[in-house]
Amino acid sequence: MSGGAGGLHAVLTDVVYLIAASLFIFGLKRLSSPATARSGNLLGAIGVLIAVVATLLDRQILGYGPILIGLAIGTVAGALMARLVKMTAMPQMVALLNGFGGMASALVAADEYLRIAVGRAVMTPDIAVTIMLSVLIGSSSFSGSLVAFGKLQEIVTGRAVTYPFQKTGNALLFLLTVVLAGVLVFGGPDPVLFGIFGLAALVFGVLFVVPIGGADMPVVISLLNSYSGLALAATGFVLRNNALITTGALVGASGLILTRIMCNAMNRSLTNVLFGAFGTAAGQAVAAAEGRTVREITADDAAILLGYARSVVFVPGYGLAVSQAQHNVRELADLLEARGVEVKYAVHAVAGRMPGHMNVILSEAGVPYDALLTTEEANPIMPRTDVAVVIGANDVVNPDAIENPNSPLAGMPIIEVHNAKSVIVIKRSMATGFAGVDNPLFYRENTRMLFGDAKKAISELVRAVKESVPA
Amino acid sequence: MSEGLLISVYIFVLAAFVGFEVITKVPQMLHTPLMSGSNAISGITLIGAVLVAGRLDSPLNTYIGLIAVILATINVVGGFLVTDRMLHMFRKKPDGSK
């Protein structure tokens, strides 16, 4: 690849790789605004395309059969997946693609190991170390992503799965893989031991994700995204290919930033998310609601409240995505806007199952992106908001997070709907949210509960607004 | 050798800084497309996979290469297409529709 031999042809290939890497950076930069994001994505695609074409002309390639078969299968499968996936299923889709990328990087590094081992060539320590890193990170991100996919798709339980000696077991397994890697680096080439090492990495990836609950998946997916980038960079070091190194660093950084944002939004440390086995306690004892009453509201009364308001803010949670209510919410918003109501949406960073997921779901329903507010943007306008409508969200609107220092949620940034003049909470039952904590918002003077499935409740509101509020 | 390695480490570190700078500016609204888009870019590992599959070293190497090409291609094609599909849905409020 890069490096001395090969002359002009190799230099040209390297120049193309440099252009590709620049296109990636430029493309990511354009992702910072919805107006330019689509062209940014296209630049990235062009970058990969020219890099692949340049590689196809490489003189090391002796036969095109397997390459073309692989490209054909991959293109068809990838295109089908991209076309068929539902927007609510985007987290599992990204988890899967992530895992595939990580595994591909690991396989390329593994092949290099086998080539050197069989060819009895000299394996320098830096090559050996980076091969081990690529295989370890790439394989475990692959198997970990598959488990995340299974949890999100609900093929396996979304709950945090725990068993005795779990952490000790995982730590020992990790130690074992590191020792194996050490033996492989300092001992002679040993393809069998190398295979065992690869298997151990795969098992580790599974056991790493199993104890993490479904609602913590935004963190896991971000982290696995970062790992697939690091595996790519490690493979870049193995092949001495600077395009892979650059791209791997970019993706690694991207995943790390998103991981940090997700952890901050939940006010939990990464360690707590990964090893805390949050979300195990099914019916955790909640400080009983005795003596406090919730006030119910009918759809018709709620419609009057909404129809004659000046400003309404919708606060969507995962419950909205589960019942596919986004289109109904949009319909309700349209009706309200036609009646002169100003409508906004306050989206918490962890609303949904991956970073930014709720924004995609709302955009799919045709909500314009200028109406989508972040927590920081929404809180200042809350006191001026007439009605805040909470749809299938719970922990992210729990005032205990700022008012009760003893709450498990204390310190978590929340959308301060309790500051709005009135709050309508659409919820199936009085069940607690993911954190298993009672929510004092429901008992407040200015809160009204509208019980029911999000989609049904919103369609009821749509009907009631049409009937009782003239446009 | 070691000089080449050092240069590569330089590139890695500098690219990571560029990544932090560029990606911190991406708004929350676009985090899902950012993730699927950056994910698609990481499918650039396809260029390594293509070499593995095309060198015809041994049947084992070729099979490894074939699987790597399939996985990386799904990553690239699926990633870019699904990102485009999502970004297509992000619309500004149409002017004067009120």
Side-chain angles (χ1 to χ4, degrees), chain A residues 323-375:
Chain A
S323 80
Q324 297 277 344
Q326 64 270 33
H327 296 278
N328 307 67
V329 172
R330 168 79 208 284
E331 193 187 355
L332 178 60
D334 283 349
L335 288 174
L336 294 178
E337 282 183 327
R339 284 154 180 80
V341 185
E342 191 198 350
V343 179
K344 296 280 182 196
Y345 302 77
V347 184
H348 195 275
V350 292
R353 285 291 185 263
M354 73 182 290
H357 189 199
M358 191 56 69
N359 302 86
V360 171
I361 291 173
L362 290 174
S363 298
E364 185 198 13
V367 172
Y369 61 75
D370 17 14
L372 301 169
L373 306 179
T374 62
T375 306

Side-chain angles (χ1 to χ4, degrees), chain A residues 281-290 292 394-395 398 400 407-409 427 430-440 442-443:
Chain A
Q284 215 172 53
V286 166
E290 291 131 25
R292 297 180 295 172
N394 192 344
D395 294 335
N398 193 329
D400 260 4
S407 166
L409 298 174
K427 211 173 170 318
M430 285 301 288
T432 58
F434 177 64
V437 196
D438 190 29
N439 193 339
F442 304 154
Y443 311 101

Side-chain angles (χ1 to χ4, degrees), chain A residues 1 31-32 38 41 55 60 62-63 66 82-83 85 101 105 111 115 240 247 347 355-357 368-370, chain B residues 5 23 27-28 30 32 35 38-39 41 45 47 51-52 54-55 57 61 66 75 80 84-85 88 90-91 93:
Chain A
M1 308 206 76
L31 269 174
S32 57
R38 234 182 140 190
N41 185 52
T55 311
Q60 292 182 58
L62 302 175
R83 183 159 284 258
V85 66
S105 294
D111 173 80
R115 259 161 44 94
R240 270 303 135 68
T247 317
V347 184
H357 189 199
Y369 61 75
D370 17 14
Chain B
L5 176 67
I23 287 146
Q28 177 194 315
L30 290 174
T32 295
M35 192 170 268
S38 66
N39 197 7
I41 290 173
T45 199
I47 65 180
L51 287 180
V52 175
R55 274 191 297 236
D57 283 337
N61 294 81
L66 175 66
N75 189 191
F80 282 123
D84 188 65
R85 209 183 124 199
H88 185 56
F90 279 85
R91 286 200 196 89
K93 188 175 259 176

